[in-house]
Amino acid sequence: MKLIAERDRCIGAGLCTLHAPSVFDQEDDGLVVLLTESPSGPAADDARKVVEHLCPSKAIRMSGG
């Protein structure tokens, strides 16, 4: 799995950083920053949950498995 963050779609809700802090962070403007594009193990499961269910603006997506 590879993550892609579309900062221009991000609304700064912060659910990504709350649920997957080893994968996502926020800059001073509140917008998402990827800490890793290809998480593994439990971090990958957390990131998948963010992508599929939690990001309200759908600013984060995945490519691949």
Side-chain angles (χ1 to χ4, degrees), residues 20-42:
S22 65
V23 180
F24 305 105
D25 199 358
Q26 289 176 284
E27 297 230 329
D28 290 340
D29 59 7
L31 301 182
V32 65
V33 175
L34 289 177
L35 299 177
T36 178
E37 290 183 346
S38 300
S40 60

Side-chain angles (χ1 to χ4, degrees), residues 2-57:
K2 180 177 178 185
L3 295 172
I4 300 154
E6 297 179 54
R7 290 176 46 86
D8 58 329
R9 290 187 71 161
C10 180
I11 61 170
L15 294 174
C16 55
T17 59
L18 181 64
H19 292 278
S22 65
V23 180
F24 305 105
D25 199 358
Q26 289 176 284
E27 297 230 329
D28 290 340
D29 59 7
L31 301 182
V32 65
V33 175
L34 289 177
L35 299 177
T36 178
E37 290 183 346
S38 300
S40 60
D45 295 337
D46 293 342
R48 186 179 311 276
K49 183 186 215 182
V50 167
V51 170
E52 293 176 353
H53 304 290
L54 297 175
C55 181
S57 64

